[in-house]
Amino acid sequence: MTLTQYDPWNRLNQLHKELDRAFDFRLGQGDGEDNSRVVTCDWIPPVDIKEEQDHFVLYADIPGVNAKEIEITMENGALTIRGERSAATKETREGYKRLERPRGTFYRRFSLPDTVDVEKITAKGQEGVLEVVIPKQERTQPRTIAVEA
């Protein structure tokens, strides 16, 4: 019996990429749009985003990825998370009948509102879950300015 890697979403993902290419003729023309979807990745970790009164919390499921090998960047109002889950070598695949867990690089990008405090973003990884805390800026209170005569 030969080992085949089964990915039930592969055909749907390919169709999605082809439709994106067909209908987005401006892609990659430097027009200031977010072109993050052109980045190739092998898998996409599922993410939950929760909004609290004073911060947002992003939870990403990334089991099998060392937290120290995850790269998180914040640039131009976009939070980017990328990393890699090591691919199984031919020697480590021996004995397996099915491989369904995705391997390789992952990439996620999120647009953040202007109200976040970029300098205070923190992240930690624990038990296969990445938690990114994105604090909101303190709201400035309106004030009345006296006009001198």
Side-chain angles (χ1 to χ4, degrees):
M1 174 185 247
T2 60
L3 175 67
T4 58
Q5 187 166 353
Y6 176 69
D7 184 3
W9 301 106
N10 190 30
R11 293 239 187 239
L12 186 60
N13 288 338
Q14 286 175 337
L15 177 62
H16 187 265
K17 287 178 186 178
E18 288 177 24
L19 287 172
D20 278 349
R21 248 191 314 266
F23 290 106
D24 197 358
F25 58 91
R26 296 176 298 156
L27 195 60
Q29 292 183 355
D31 53 8
E33 289 186 10
D34 176 19
N35 294 328
S36 63
R37 63 189 150 184
V38 298
V39 174
T40 58
C41 61
D42 299 310
W43 63 287
I44 299 171
V47 171
D48 293 338
I49 300 175
K50 180 180 180 184
E51 182 175 6
E52 300 281 336
Q53 184 174 354
D54 60 344
H55 65 277
F56 296 94
V57 183
L58 182 146
Y59 300 99
D61 288 342
I62 50 167
V65 178
N66 186 340
K68 294 179 181 180
E69 295 178 8
I70 299 169
E71 178 184 333
I72 302 173
T73 58
M74 176 68 191
E75 184 178 13
N76 297 329
L79 180 77
T80 304
I81 302 170
R82 73 179 69 189
E84 183 173 0
R85 182 184 297 153
S86 300
T89 62
K90 192 164 188 116
E91 294 80 31
T92 59
R93 288 183 178 190
E94 191 172 313
Y96 282 92
K97 302 298 182 200
R98 179 177 292 215
L99 292 172
E100 293 183 357
R101 297 180 301 149
R103 304 278 186 213
T105 60
F106 67 88
Y107 178 90
R108 292 297 305 260
R109 187 172 191 170
F110 305 93
S111 295
L112 298 179
D114 294 335
T115 59
V116 301
D117 191 346
V118 176
E119 299 299 320
K120 295 182 180 175
I121 296 174
T122 60
K124 66 179 179 179
Q126 187 173 357
E127 297 180 10
V129 178
L130 174 68
E131 178 182 319
V132 181
V133 177
I134 307 163
K136 296 178 183 178
Q137 293 177 350
E138 291 184 25
R139 296 183 186 209
T140 56
Q141 299 298 323
R143 66 182 187 114
T144 305
I145 301 170
V147 179
E148 295 182 29

